[in-house]
Amino acid sequence: MFDSIGGMPLHPLVVHAVVVGAPLAALLGFLFAVPRLRAWARWPLAVVSVGAFAAAVVAKESGEGLQRTLGLEGGDNPVAALIARHSQLATQLLVVLAAYGVLALACAFLVGRRAGVVRAVDRVLPLALVVVGVLVLVWCYRVGDIGARAVWNPTGTQTY
């Protein structure tokens, strides 16, 4: 189902939505944490966070399809080992993006909705959003780095 589009593997195409969407969602979360920017960032944060999670789901499924198609499901191949680690980190990123999406939606609907009233939720949720946003950035980098190594330098012998 998520293997290809127009005869091309879907994974290398859709992964770019995650590479752009996840850091953009984190950036919007950082902006949302600033009270003066909260009204501006509220709905873009919610939309981009949910979109980044959806793109990550499609990227994960299409990646597993590509792995099956290429026959890289184990063995002594160094590429297979890198792809297995890439897949493991991608699963972790999916969990982090799910948590971030839930936090982003909670922030969009709950934080700062009553003018002149500062509640504990107005302080705690944006702080949690920033912390999980940092995790999004770190895991996005880790997944992308090992995926790029699997494609471009699986043996580690190339120096660019």
Side-chain angles (χ1 to χ4, degrees), residues 67-129:
Q67 184 180 11
R68 282 189 300 276
T69 300
L70 296 176
L72 296 171
E73 296 173 308
D76 292 333
N77 186 344
V79 175
L82 288 172
I83 290 176
R85 181 69 178 142
H86 175 69
S87 178
Q88 181 184 35
L89 289 172
T91 300
Q92 294 170 2
L93 176 62
L94 205 56
V95 171
V96 172
L97 282 172
Y100 191 79
V102 168
L103 272 171
L105 290 173
C107 283
F109 286 105
L110 300 175
V111 174
R113 300 298 282 179
R114 294 187 355 198
V117 178
V118 177
R119 302 169 295 164
V121 72
D122 295 339
R123 296 184 191 274
V124 173
L125 284 179
L127 178 63
L129 191 68

